[in-house]
Structure formats: C-alpha cells, structure tokens
Amino acid sequence: MNIVNYPDPVLRQRAKPLTEINKEVYLKVEEMMELIYQAQGIGLAAPQVGWSVRLFIIDVDGDLHGEKVFINPVITEEVGELNKEEGCLSFPGIMGKVVRAQRIKAQAYTLKGQKIEIEAEGLAARAWQHEIDHLNGCLFIDKMSPASRLAISHQLKEFERSYKGTRIPV
Ligand code: NI
C-alpha cells in the first residue's frame, strides 16, 4: 500500500459507503495507520491509498471521542469561517489557503461499528472537512484561494508532468 499522489484518477472518484467492517478493512486500516505515521500526517482518506471507500483517519489531539478512524462520515453542522493554510499527503510539498468552517458537528461509525457524534473545532474540524472532501473526489486545490492556487501552479504542472499512472488498485 502506498499514498497516491495527484493527479491519480482515484482521487477524483466518489468513494462508496463501507458496508461491512471485516478483516480486510482492519488490515487496510492498519496499513493506513503506518503510512500516516511515517508521513507525519494529520489525515489520510482511503481513496489516497487507492481504496475508494468512505473511511478516513484523523490523528490530532482534541475531542474526537478518542477515535482516529471514521467510517461513512457525515458533517451535520458547520459554523463560522476560517481561511488558513493546509496541506495534503497526496500533494507533497504543497501548501495553500483554504476557507473552512471553524466548527463542525458530524456523525460517523467507528471501527467497532458504533455510531458516534462529534463536535470539532480548530485543526480537527479543518481536517474533517478536508477528508470528507476526499471521499467526494474534491481536492484542496479546488477550494484554494486564487492567490494560493496561482502560487502553486508550477508545482501542480510538475505533478501532472511526472505522473506515471503506475498505481495498482487495492
Ligand atoms: Ni488530503
């Protein structure tokens, strides 16, 4: 398992709901945990490892019920706006400003199949919105401020130029 980079087409697909939490899911989540740890990332969505299901990992301090793995997540409320820099593990070296809600309420299932409701703010709220976008095939470059987008346009072209399309589906 590897992290796939822009412009891999899997990043543009709408991911499917996860209907069963089985051994295969546990094993893949374990591998994703290893990848996010190695990359020192904050969030990693399943499509970023070529697995097009509605699951992501968020690893930040804060009140997320002590959970890191969120399955079939839905944001139910968004409050406020904040324009801040963010990055993405599928765009190594790229940062840009994106407007996100300041606080969110959301629902998801845990790896144990329990439905939970969370309230998040700050980095956790930003990460949630970023990862939900991944599940809908939306990338942070789509929402970047025009100035940020312009500033990274050369780097994006370089990603597109060097993309080899060698991803092996999992
Ligand atoms: Ni990302």
Side-chain angles (χ1 to χ4, degrees):
M1 185 185 274
N2 291 302
I3 296 177
V4 300
N5 285 348
Y6 174 82
D8 194 300
V10 74
L11 296 173
R12 288 301 190 186
Q13 286 171 18
R14 187 179 167 83
K16 293 199 169 64
L18 200 61
T19 52
E20 195 188 339
I21 303 168
N22 52 28
K23 191 168 182 190
E24 186 199 358
V25 171
Y26 283 119
L27 291 174
K28 282 183 173 170
V29 166
E30 217 169 280
E31 285 188 75
M32 284 175 71
M33 286 287 194
E34 186 62 28
L35 287 175
I36 196 171
Y37 176 74
Q38 282 171 2
Q40 297 184 311
I42 289 164
L44 183 65
Q48 289 181 276
V49 295
W51 184 27
S52 195
V53 299
R54 303 187 81 78
L55 176 153
F56 57 69
I57 295 173
I58 291 179
D59 191 5
V60 291
D61 294 331
D63 185 20
L64 291 177
H65 276 258
E67 296 292 339
K68 291 181 179 178
V69 182
F70 302 96
I71 295 169
N72 299 341
V74 187
I75 291 178
T76 54
E77 202 179 315
E78 300 188 344
V79 182
E81 273 189 359
L82 212 54
N83 190 19
K84 280 187 96 169
E85 287 239 303
E86 60 183 65
C88 177
L89 292 178
S90 293
F91 295 78
I94 290 186
M95 298 286 286
K97 283 195 162 182
V98 182
V99 176
R100 304 276 188 196
Q102 227 168 338
R103 290 199 313 274
I104 60 153
K105 287 184 182 172
Q107 297 175 345
Y109 289 87
T110 67
L111 209 46
K112 289 177 181 160
Q114 284 173 321
K115 193 175 189 179
I116 54 165
E117 298 201 13
I118 63 144
E119 289 184 47
E121 59 183 332
L123 191 55
R126 177 163 293 269
W128 251 80
Q129 293 166 79
H130 179 113
E131 301 311 328
I132 288 257
D133 278 352
H134 271 302
L135 306 186
N136 296 327
C138 177
L139 300 171
F140 80 140
I141 54 171
D142 307 339
K143 294 186 169 178
M144 233 177 235
S145 72
S148 285
R149 178 76 190 232
L150 189 64
I152 60 145
S153 60
H154 285 291
Q155 282 169 285
L156 278 189
K157 286 222 171 68
E158 189 53 34
F159 272 87
E160 287 161 14
R161 202 187 57 76
S162 60
Y163 176 66
K164 292 185 180 68
T166 50
R167 182 180 67 85
I168 296 167
V170 290

